Coordinates of all heavy atoms in Angstrom, one line a residue:
Q830 N 85.1 89.3 122.2 CA 86.0 90.3 121.6 C 87.4 89.8 121.6 O 88.0 89.8 122.7 CB 85.9 91.7 122.2 CG 86.7 92.7 121.4 CD 86.8 94.0 122.2 OE1 86.1 94.3 123.1 NE2 87.7 94.8 121.7
L831 N 87.9 89.4 120.5 CA 89.3 88.9 120.4 C 90.3 90.1 120.1 O 89.9 91.2 119.9 CB 89.4 87.9 119.3 CG 88.6 86.6 119.6 CD1 87.2 86.7 119.1 CD2 89.2 85.4 119.1
N832 N 91.6 89.8 120.3 CA 92.6 90.8 120.2 C 92.7 91.4 118.8 O 93.2 92.6 118.8 CB 93.9 90.2 120.6 CG 93.9 89.7 122.0 OD1 93.1 90.1 122.8 ND2 94.8 88.8 122.4
S833 N 92.4 90.7 117.8 CA 92.6 91.3 116.4 C 91.7 90.6 115.4 O 91.1 89.6 115.7 CB 94.1 91.1 116.0 OG 94.3 89.7 115.8
R834 N 91.6 91.2 114.2 CA 90.8 90.6 113.2 C 91.4 89.2 112.8 O 90.6 88.3 112.5 CB 90.7 91.5 112.0 CG 89.9 92.8 112.2 CD 89.7 93.6 111.0 NE 88.8 94.8 111.3 CZ 87.5 94.8 111.3 NH1 86.9 93.7 111.0 NH2 86.8 95.9 111.6
E835 N 92.7 89.1 112.8 CA 93.3 87.8 112.5 C 92.9 86.7 113.6 O 92.6 85.6 113.2 CB 94.8 87.9 112.5 CG 95.4 88.8 111.4 CD 95.3 90.3 111.6 OE1 95.2 90.7 112.8 OE2 95.2 91.0 110.6
S836 N 92.8 87.1 114.8 CA 92.3 86.2 115.9 C 90.9 85.8 115.6 O 90.5 84.6 115.9 CB 92.5 86.8 117.3 OG 93.8 87.1 117.6
V837 N 90.1 86.7 115.2 CA 88.7 86.4 114.9 C 88.6 85.4 113.8 O 87.9 84.3 113.8 CB 87.9 87.7 114.5 CG1 86.5 87.3 113.9 CG2 87.7 88.6 115.7
Q838 N 89.4 85.6 112.7 CA 89.4 84.6 111.6 C 89.9 83.3 112.0 O 89.4 82.2 111.6 CB 90.3 85.2 110.4 CG 89.7 86.4 109.8 CD 88.3 86.2 109.2 OE1 88.0 85.1 108.7 NE2 87.5 87.2 109.4
K839 N 90.9 83.2 112.9 CA 91.5 81.9 113.4 C 90.4 81.2 114.2 O 90.2 80.0 114.1 CB 92.7 82.1 114.2 CG 93.9 82.5 113.4 CD 95.1 82.7 114.2 CE 96.3 83.1 113.4 NZ 97.5 83.3 114.2
A840 N 89.7 82.0 115.0 CA 88.6 81.3 115.9 C 87.5 80.8 115.0 O 87.0 79.7 115.2 CB 88.1 82.4 116.9
L841 N 87.2 81.5 113.9 CA 86.1 81.1 113.0 C 86.6 79.8 112.2 O 85.7 79.1 111.7 CB 85.7 82.2 112.0 CG 85.0 83.4 112.6 CD1 84.9 84.5 111.6 CD2 83.6 83.0 113.2
Q842 N 87.9 79.6 112.1 CA 88.4 78.4 111.5 C 88.6 77.2 112.5 O 89.0 76.2 112.1 CB 89.8 78.7 110.9 CG 89.7 79.7 109.7 CD 91.1 80.2 109.3 OE1 92.1 79.8 109.8 NE2 91.1 81.1 108.3
G843 N 88.2 77.5 113.8 CA 88.3 76.4 114.8 C 89.5 76.4 115.6 O 89.7 75.4 116.4
K844 N 90.3 77.4 115.6 CA 91.5 77.5 116.4 C 91.2 78.2 117.7 O 90.4 79.0 117.8 CB 92.6 78.2 115.6 CG 93.0 77.4 114.4 CD 94.1 78.2 113.6 CE 94.4 77.3 112.3 NZ 95.0 78.1 111.3
S845 N 91.9 77.8 118.7 CA 91.8 78.4 120.1 C 92.2 79.8 120.1 O 93.1 80.2 119.3 CB 92.6 77.6 121.1 OG 92.2 76.3 121.1
A846 N 91.5 80.6 120.9 CA 91.9 82.0 121.0 C 91.5 82.6 122.4 O 90.5 82.1 123.0 CB 91.2 82.8 119.9
W847 N 92.2 83.6 122.8 CA 91.8 84.4 124.0 C 90.9 85.5 123.6 O 91.0 86.1 122.6 CB 93.1 84.9 124.7 CG 94.0 83.9 125.3 CD1 95.0 83.3 124.7 CD2 93.8 83.2 126.5 NE1 95.6 82.4 125.5 CE2 94.8 82.3 126.7 CE3 92.9 83.4 127.6 CZ2 95.0 81.5 127.8 CZ3 93.0 82.6 128.7 CH2 94.0 81.7 128.8
A848 N 90.0 85.8 124.6 CA 89.0 86.9 124.3 C 88.4 87.5 125.5 O 88.4 86.9 126.6 CB 87.8 86.3 123.5
D849 N 88.0 88.8 125.4 CA 87.2 89.4 126.4 C 85.8 88.8 126.2 O 85.3 88.8 125.1 CB 87.1 90.9 126.3 CG 88.3 91.5 127.0 OD1 88.5 91.3 128.2 OD2 89.1 92.2 126.3
I850 N 85.1 88.4 127.3 CA 83.8 87.7 127.2 C 82.7 88.7 127.8 O 82.8 89.2 128.9 CB 83.8 86.4 128.0 CG1 85.0 85.5 127.4 CG2 82.5 85.7 127.9 CD1 85.3 84.3 128.2
F851 N 81.7 88.9 127.0 CA 80.6 89.7 127.4 C 79.3 88.9 127.3 O 79.1 88.1 126.4 CB 80.4 90.9 126.4 CG 81.5 91.9 126.4 CD1 82.7 91.7 125.6 CD2 81.4 93.0 127.2 CE1 83.7 92.6 125.6 CE2 82.5 94.0 127.2 CZ 83.6 93.7 126.4
L852 N 78.4 89.1 128.3 CA 77.1 88.6 128.3 C 76.2 89.5 127.5 O 76.2 90.7 127.6 CB 76.6 88.6 129.8 CG 75.4 87.7 130.2 CD1 75.8 86.3 130.1 CD2 75.0 88.1 131.6
V853 N 75.4 88.9 126.6 CA 74.4 89.6 125.8 C 73.0 89.4 126.4 O 72.4 88.3 126.2 CB 74.4 89.2 124.3 CG1 73.5 90.0 123.5 CG2 75.9 89.2 123.8
P854 N 72.5 90.3 127.2 CA 71.2 90.0 127.9 C 70.1 89.8 126.9 O 70.1 90.4 125.8 CB 71.0 91.3 128.7 CG 72.3 91.9 128.8 CD 73.1 91.6 127.6
F855 N 69.1 89.0 127.3 CA 67.9 88.9 126.4 C 67.3 90.2 126.1 O 67.3 91.1 126.9 CB 66.8 88.0 127.2 CG 67.0 86.6 127.1 CD1 67.0 85.8 128.3 CD2 67.3 85.9 125.9 CE1 67.2 84.5 128.3 CE2 67.5 84.5 125.9 CZ 67.4 83.8 127.1
G856 N 66.9 90.4 124.9 CA 66.3 91.7 124.5 C 67.3 92.7 123.9 O 66.9 93.7 123.3
T857 N 68.6 92.4 123.9 CA 69.6 93.2 123.3 C 69.5 93.0 121.8 O 69.5 91.9 121.3 CB 71.0 92.8 123.7 OG1 71.1 93.0 125.2 CG2 72.1 93.7 123.1
R858 N 69.4 94.1 121.0 CA 69.3 94.0 119.6 C 70.4 94.7 118.9 O 71.0 95.6 119.4 CB 68.0 94.7 119.1 CG 66.7 94.1 119.7 CD 65.5 94.9 119.3 NE 65.8 96.3 119.7 CZ 65.0 97.3 119.4 NH1 63.9 97.1 118.7 NH2 65.3 98.5 119.8
E859 N 70.8 94.1 117.7 CA 71.8 94.8 116.9 C 71.2 96.0 116.3 O 70.0 96.1 116.0 CB 72.2 93.8 115.8 CG 73.0 92.6 116.3 CD 73.5 91.7 115.2 OE1 73.7 92.2 114.0 OE2 73.6 90.5 115.4
R860 N 72.0 97.0 116.2 CA 71.7 98.3 115.6 C 71.8 98.2 114.1 O 72.2 97.2 113.5 CB 72.6 99.4 116.1 CG 72.6 99.6 117.6 CD 71.2 100.2 118.0 NE 71.3 100.5 119.4 CZ 70.5 100.1 120.4 NH1 69.5 99.3 120.0 NH2 70.6 100.5 121.6
I861 N 71.4 99.2 113.4 CA 71.5 99.3 112.0 C 72.9 99.1 111.6 O 73.9 99.6 112.2 CB 71.0 100.7 111.4 CG1 69.5 100.8 111.7 CG2 71.3 100.8 109.9 CD1 68.9 102.2 111.4
G862 N 73.2 98.2 110.6 CA 74.6 97.9 110.2 C 75.1 96.8 111.0 O 76.3 96.4 110.9
G863 N 74.4 96.2 111.9 CA 74.8 95.0 112.7 C 75.7 95.3 113.9 O 76.3 94.4 114.5
L864 N 75.7 96.6 114.3 CA 76.5 97.0 115.5 C 75.8 96.6 116.8 O 74.6 96.7 116.9 CB 76.8 98.5 115.5 CG 77.7 99.0 114.5 CD1 77.8 100.5 114.6 CD2 79.1 98.4 114.6
I865 N 76.6 96.1 117.8 CA 76.1 95.9 119.1 C 76.7 97.0 120.0 O 77.9 97.3 119.9 CB 76.5 94.5 119.7 CG1 75.9 93.4 118.8 CG2 76.1 94.4 121.1 CD1 76.4 92.1 119.1

């Protein structure tokens, strides 16, 4: 989870970014609409 939508876009373009890091345990599924 990055600080802003702009940070997400920068990371997707290959730029470094700070983020909160979460472990996604095996068996975790996305909900309807792609929400976790």
Side-chain angles (χ1 to χ4, degrees):
Q830 182 189 350
L831 292 91
N832 299 339
S833 66
R834 290 188 179 272
E835 292 79 26
S836 295
V837 170
Q838 292 305 319
K839 287 180 182 178
L841 291 172
Q842 294 168 2
K844 298 178 181 160
S845 301
W847 290 97
D849 276 302
I850 302 168
F851 294 86
L852 197 69
V853 182
F855 280 130
T857 302
R858 296 176 309 175
E859 290 182 28
R860 302 287 189 235
I861 296 172
L864 290 176
I865 299 170

